[in-house]
Amino acid sequence: MAKEMIAMLLAGGQGSRLYTLTQKLAKPAVPFGGKYRIIDFPLSNCVNSGIDTVGILTQYQPLVLNEYIGNGQPWDLDRLHGGVHVLPPYQKATGSDWYKGTANAIYQNINFIERYDPKYVIILSGDQICKQDYSDFLRFHKEKGAEFSVAVMEVPWEEAGRFGLMVADENDKITEFQEKPKEPKSNLASMGIYIFNWDILKKYLVDDENDPNSANDFGNNIIPNLLKDNREMYAYRFDGYWKDVGTISSLWEANMEVLDPENSGINLFDDDWRIYSRNSGMTGHRIGENAVLENCMVTDGCSIDGEVKHSVLFAGVKVEKGAVVEDAVIMGGSTIKAGAQIKHCIIAENVVIEKDAVVGAMPEGDTKGVATVGSNVTIGEGAVVGPEAMVSDDVKGGDRV
Amino acid sequence: MINSNADSAMGILFPNSYDSLVPELVTERLMASIPFASRYRLVDFVLSSMVNCGIDNISLIVKRNYHSLMDHLGSGREWDLTRKKGGLNIIPPFAQKTVNIYNGRVEAIASIIDYLKRQKEKYVIMADTNIAVNFDFKDLLQQHIDSGADVTIAYTREDIPKALRDIDVTKKDLYYTLGIAEDGRVQKIVVNDKQGGEKNVSMNIYVIERELLMDQIRQAYVNGLTYFERDIISPQLDKLVVKAYRHDGYYARILDLNTYFAENMKMLKEENVNALFAPSPIYTKIRDDNPTRYAVGSHVKNVMAADGCVIEGEVENSILFRGVKIGKGAKVRNCVLMQDTVIETGATVEHAITDKNVRISSYKELKGTESFPVFVEKRKLV
């Protein structure tokens, strides 16, 4: 049975710039926004856009991600024909290879795509926070008679040089592609989201694979090759909220923006475009006698008796009486004990901050870093973790890091 | 067949039992689907307990108003009950028998006797849904097997709640207290004990061999008997070995609107929540709400809240279900606000229970008292 469009979601990235947060899990599995993981966004977008077949390409630390995706039921992607499939590299009769690049990852799964005989394939990236209607993107692709389209965002000219840029004419037809240029000719940054006609994509993947000099990458190889051949290439302008949460500071920032949906543009309280996730199954959260809450998000299983301001708390977080939490992202199952001060930081899952410990500080002068504590770490009683610190191992009581 | 293990049991629940005790809450639902503890329905507790004890073949014999229950349970996936063999099985009244919707357990079970015949489990565990409890069915079954009893009844030792003593017999909801000998054998079953004082109050949880249950029900049915306890067990206490099993853990028995309010309020104490939701988890329907948002200017003390709420005003000593919105300057004290209740700007609500989708308009005042909470029915605009 043919599908009009299926999605291939690139989720193999290590996310090395998230350091300790991605030591044991792939970037798309990083928790976000109180009860989600990053991958919930592209998956929910797919379902909300009517795409019911998604291949997830994994490679780096796939355990957490595999378990999280499971049979895809939380996203309504457990289907008789289609649904969600996790696609790790596998052994073939001719040998086996890791995914060498983004294009190679898709190339190695040509057989998977062919099973659905799609007309179009959308390539998604598993490390962005974005609510996007892919069906509108597809409508654009069809209207333009495109063979390839890329979703682009307008970025400020002064920052354009950090992006892969699409130079397009008045009809949105792409005339040139610049990868992180010194002198940008455009401010349309590629979001790394592409729609291909499957026959075109397949041809270029095969050609690319036969080119021994290729890095097998969409941005560096496939797109330039399409341009060289004068293919019908169009830029689809997207003006909603979009954030690549590839660094500690951008991840922290995006979480803070969730607290300000009126101004930031990222609204998780949108019944028409719900973001689905695997639920913790914990009981409703409890706010105690001594709690002070101001501008924060709290989810199931939390127990709060301290002061929490401008923060995002994930499932099962405990904040004891007398603890102060401000500008913080505290992931699932972590405990902040009495008297601890947690500020301007990211605390990963199942961390214990003992009594009177201090993690991070409000930005002052040049120290604007986001302190980060890796998962399953214990910060001892009275220990101090500085505003720029990144902690992956236990800190003994009274120590300073 | 795996399920024919010597100690396997199937479950039968009676979701309409004691409906008459809470008429306000069951106008459009039944006892089993009454919301409880911020994100659950009463049925979740017994159902999850059974699942956690390895019981994966559970039938619910419903009688009326079961739309909300079907909606809540769906295919049973959230309770891990989507099984090829067994799983969740909701049994509505049989079309030909609708003129005579069952009264009491005898008719209810008689209506599924052919189904019971085809099951493989050796034992049947029956329960009502008006008690929120994390029940150890494994332990109950083990005691039943070890003691060699024909029937085992679970009970709690407590002062008979006033609401039970006040029960209206004409409404046909009976309750039972047990006289228990030293060896744990039940000697006497008292129906609607009016005396009060500390008694052994039956939880209406029973274990019995499936074959024995079918025999007893067949006999009782042809003799026109109605109640399992009053008409089958009680008269045969000398013939059948009926043992008692005491439940000492936490439980919340819903007997009227006041106990409903009080039992919800007890969830504000951490030790009660820990006792009810441990050691094994309680499952419920997933709604995919976003996390709850506490805006600038919110004041919150002593609250249990589910996901999907937006709190801009003041809340104290209250239970908030999923999707409750409390506007700026609104004051909510000592309330149970069910799903998607909206308290608009500046409104004051105290000692109230609002059913689903209630809206209290701006600057309205709504106050009940501790002994007499105001109840606002489903979808009402105040």
Side-chain angles (χ1 to χ4, degrees):
Chain A
M1 207 166 31
K3 301 260 179 196
E4 184 177 36
M5 178 159 84
I6 72 167
M8 297 298 274
L9 176 52
L10 298 164
Q14 182 179 346
S16 55
R17 287 171 305 151
L18 288 172
Y19 306 98
T20 183
L21 296 180
T22 47
Q23 223 149 52
K24 295 190 193 84
L25 74 174
K27 184 157 136 185
V30 168
F32 178 82
K35 62 180 287 194
Y36 309 97
R37 291 182 189 266
I38 295 170
I39 198 165
D40 289 332
F41 287 80
L43 284 181
S44 302
N45 287 342
C46 280
V47 176
N48 291 336
S49 306
I51 299 171
D52 66 5
T53 305
V54 184
I56 301 182
L57 301 137
T58 62
Q59 176 153 284
Y60 173 81
Q61 287 284 18
L63 283 182
V64 175
L65 193 60
N66 286 352
E67 196 197 346
Y68 187 68
I69 299 300
N71 67 350
Q73 182 269 321
W75 304 271
D76 210 13
L77 285 171
D78 50 335
R79 302 292 172 102
L80 278 181
H81 182 60
V84 67
H85 295 267
V86 176
L87 305 169
Y90 59 97
Q91 200 169 21
K92 301 157 203 75
T94 51
S96 58
D97 271 318
W98 292 103
Y99 293 149
K100 287 175 285 184
T102 50
N104 177 256
I106 307 291
Y107 171 82
Q108 291 200 35
N109 288 287
I110 284 178
N111 287 336
F112 169 81
I113 299 173
E114 300 260 85
R115 288 167 64 91
Y116 300 100
D117 189 19
K119 190 135 198 264
Y120 308 101
V121 175
I122 185 165
I123 310 288
L124 302 170
S125 132
D127 49 11
Q128 302 169 352
I129 301 299
C130 178
K131 293 191 334 191
Q132 186 180 6
D133 184 351
Y134 303 140
S135 65
D136 189 62
F137 187 10
L138 179 61
R139 179 196 51 75
F140 170 90
H141 181 85
K142 287 195 239 174
E143 273 174 18
K144 294 289 180 188
E147 293 170 308
F148 162 90
S149 325
V150 53
V152 295
M153 286 276 294
E154 268 186 46
V155 294
W157 279 97
E158 60 272 20
E159 286 178 32
R162 298 195 292 118
F163 296 90
L165 301 174
M166 298 293 161
V167 186
D169 66 16
E170 65 277 14
N171 279 324
D172 299 322
K173 188 165 195 284
I174 297 167
T175 54
E176 198 181 335
F177 171 63
Q178 296 181 298
E179 180 69 24
K180 294 183 184 145
K182 282 207 181 68
E183 286 170 27
K185 289 189 201 164
S186 156
N187 66 338
L188 298 177
S190 163
M191 295 163 64
I193 300 176
Y194 318 115
I195 292 180
F196 283 92
N197 292 358
W198 171 231
D199 52 348
I200 298 290
L201 174 58
K202 189 177 166 191
K203 173 183 172 350
Y204 279 83
L205 287 175
V206 173
D207 289 352
D208 179 64
E209 191 62 20
N210 291 331
D211 175 2
N213 299 319
S214 172
N216 306 118
D217 183 81
F218 275 104
N220 291 323
N221 309 101
I222 302 284
I223 296 175
N225 288 342
L226 288 163
L227 262 173
K228 207 169 61 199
D229 297 349
N230 283 320
R231 290 286 171 184
E232 290 295 317
M233 302 168 71
Y234 287 87
Y236 167 76
R237 289 164 195 259
F238 177 75
D239 59 4
Y241 180 93
W242 177 79
K243 194 143 202 154
D244 179 341
V245 286
T247 64
I248 295 280
S249 63
S250 66
L251 179 66
W252 177 85
E253 210 173 274
N255 272 285
M256 293 298 124
E257 282 168 348
V258 164
L259 291 172
D260 186 20
E262 288 82 6
N263 299 311
S264 69
I266 177 75
N267 183 8
L268 300 181
F269 299 76
D270 179 356
D271 281 343
D272 297 332
W273 203 267
R274 227 163 241 242
I275 304 301
Y276 301 100
S277 67
R278 200 171 276 281
N279 276 250
S280 69
M282 290 178 178
T283 173
H285 64 265
R286 271 160 302 120
I287 310 293
E289 287 282 344
N290 306 292
V292 178
L293 288 148
E294 204 181 286
N295 196 14
C296 52
M297 296 225 309
V298 180
T299 188
D300 290 341
C302 289
S303 174
I304 299 169
D305 208 20
E307 199 178 315
V308 182
K309 284 184 179 163
H310 199 241
S311 295
V312 177
L313 308 191
F314 289 67
V317 166
K318 289 197 171 44
V319 179
E320 290 185 1
K321 182 181 166 184
V324 177
V325 174
E326 192 172 356
D327 279 8
V329 177
I330 304 183
M331 296 179 186
S334 291
T335 299
I336 315 297
K337 296 208 174 159
Q341 307 263 332
I342 309 299
K343 289 183 176 170
H344 203 81
C345 61
I346 296 179
I347 309 282
E349 293 168 293
N350 303 315
V351 167
V352 178
I353 311 284
E354 293 287 354
K355 272 202 282 187
D356 302 320
V358 176
V359 176
M362 297 307 281
E364 220 180 293
D366 293 338
T367 60
K368 290 199 179 90
V370 176
T372 309
V373 179
S375 59
N376 299 301
V377 166
T378 298
I379 306 293
E381 190 171 331
V384 177
V385 175
E388 312 266 344
M390 163 93 56
V391 178
S392 309
D393 299 301
D394 289 356
V395 175
K396 280 206 228 68
D399 280 7
R400 296 184 79 87
V401 186
Chain B
M1 188 73 60
I2 288 170
N3 278 344
S4 56
N5 282 342
D7 60 348
S8 72
M10 60 173 286
I12 299 179
L13 304 185
F14 300 93
N16 286 93
S17 283
Y18 294 115
D19 272 0
S20 67
L21 299 185
V22 280
E24 303 90 341
L25 298 172
V26 297
T27 51
E28 290 182 47
R29 59 168 81 84
L30 35 51
M31 180 60 87
S33 62
I34 291 177
F36 184 70
S38 82
R39 62 188 294 268
Y40 300 91
R41 306 283 187 138
L42 284 175
V43 70
D44 293 337
F45 295 87
V46 172
L47 200 58
S48 303
S49 297
M50 284 190 166
V51 169
N52 290 331
C53 292
I55 300 170
D56 60 4
N57 177 7
I58 302 174
S59 297
L60 292 94
I61 309 183
V62 295
K63 189 167 166 181
R64 62 171 79 93
N65 279 5
Y66 46 86
H67 182 121
S68 63
L69 185 67
M70 310 265 293
D71 176 55
H72 179 69
L73 295 175
S75 62
R77 182 160 50 201
E78 275 97 348
W79 298 264
D80 202 19
L81 285 173
T82 39
R83 303 278 136 246
K84 291 214 166 177
K85 291 204 173 71
L88 186 74
N89 178 25
I90 300 176
I91 304 163
F94 199 61
Q96 284 170 327
K97 291 180 185 163
T98 44
V99 269
N100 182 19
I101 290 180
Y102 71 82
N103 277 312
R105 271 172 238 272
V106 171
E107 276 182 40
I109 301 169
S111 74
I112 63 160
I113 212 140
D114 288 337
Y115 171 79
L116 280 178
K117 216 186 303 177
R118 294 198 305 272
Q119 303 310 302
K120 304 287 179 220
E121 288 81 356
K122 185 170 181 194
Y123 298 97
V124 174
I125 300 181
M126 295 182 279
D128 291 337
T129 56
N130 69 318
I131 305 179
V133 60
N134 205 321
F135 195 87
D136 191 345
F137 287 104
K138 233 181 215 162
D139 196 46
L140 168 72
L141 185 59
Q142 198 56 54
Q143 183 193 305
H144 178 79
I145 294 168
D146 293 348
S147 72
D150 295 314
V151 180
T152 302
I153 307 176
Y155 72 100
T156 54
R157 181 81 187 158
E158 63 179 312
D159 280 340
I160 298 186
K162 188 174 170 304
L164 273 184
R165 278 187 280 127
D166 294 347
I167 246 175
D168 181 357
V169 194
T170 59
K171 285 186 181 158
K172 295 181 182 163
D173 271 318
L174 309 181
Y175 78 99
Y176 308 94
T177 45
L178 312 175
I180 304 170
E182 267 179 32
D183 63 353
R185 188 161 171 175
V186 176
Q187 291 175 312
K188 206 167 98 181
I189 297 180
V190 183
V191 182
N192 290 11
D193 191 329
K194 292 280 174 200
Q195 282 179 3
E198 196 179 82
K199 292 283 165 63
N200 305 313
V201 183
S202 169
M203 299 176 84
N204 295 359
I205 294 175
Y206 306 94
V207 192
I208 183 170
E209 261 185 51
R210 186 169 47 86
E211 293 290 344
L212 177 61
L213 176 67
M214 290 191 300
D215 286 348
Q216 292 291 335
I217 293 294
R218 279 192 200 103
Q219 282 177 35
Y221 189 64
V222 294
N223 289 319
L225 304 177
T226 310
Y227 294 105
F228 179 73
E229 303 82 352
R230 189 191 70 186
D231 303 336
I232 297 182
I233 304 298
S234 186
Q236 300 190 83
L237 284 174
D238 52 339
K239 276 204 292 192
L240 296 170
V241 180
V242 179
K243 296 264 178 151
Y245 172 89
R246 177 161 159 170
H247 172 73
D248 287 313
Y250 191 88
Y251 62 93
R253 205 192 287 262
I254 307 304
L255 298 167
D256 57 10
L257 204 59
N258 278 338
T259 51
Y260 175 75
F261 187 72
E263 290 298 346
N264 266 296
M265 286 299 163
K266 276 163 88 177
M267 290 292 104
L268 293 174
K269 289 223 157 44
E270 187 156 3
E271 62 265 28
N272 293 340
V273 174
N274 292 342
L276 180 56
F277 292 92
S280 27
I282 303 299
Y283 313 106
T284 191
K285 186 185 173 187
I286 301 296
R287 236 182 67 154
D288 289 299
D289 286 285
N290 41 264
T292 283
R293 183 172 169 217
Y294 294 92
V296 183
S298 66
H299 286 276
V300 187
K301 261 191 173 54
N302 211 18
V303 161
M304 182 190 217
D307 272 357
C309 301
V310 179
I311 316 294
E312 296 176 283
E314 282 179 40
V315 196
E316 211 176 310
N317 300 332
S318 296
I319 307 285
L320 312 183
F321 286 77
R322 295 187 265 204
V324 167
K325 309 267 183 299
I326 296 177
K328 282 200 182 79
K331 290 187 175 64
V332 174
R333 284 197 193 90
N334 304 303
C335 286
V336 175
L337 308 182
M338 295 190 205
Q339 294 94 302
D340 302 310
T341 293
V342 177
I343 312 290
E344 292 182 355
T345 313
T348 303
V349 188
E350 287 182 21
H351 287 107
I353 301 172
T354 61
D355 208 320
K356 284 176 75 175
N357 297 98
V358 161
R359 180 178 283 269
I360 312 287
S361 348
S362 295
Y363 302 102
K364 274 270 161 19
E365 228 174 71
L366 187 70
K367 287 184 182 176
T369 64
E370 195 172 344
S371 56
F372 196 78
V374 189
F375 177 78
V376 186
E377 64 188 273
K378 216 168 164 179
R379 290 186 289 272
K380 196 100 176 169
L381 173 72
V382 177

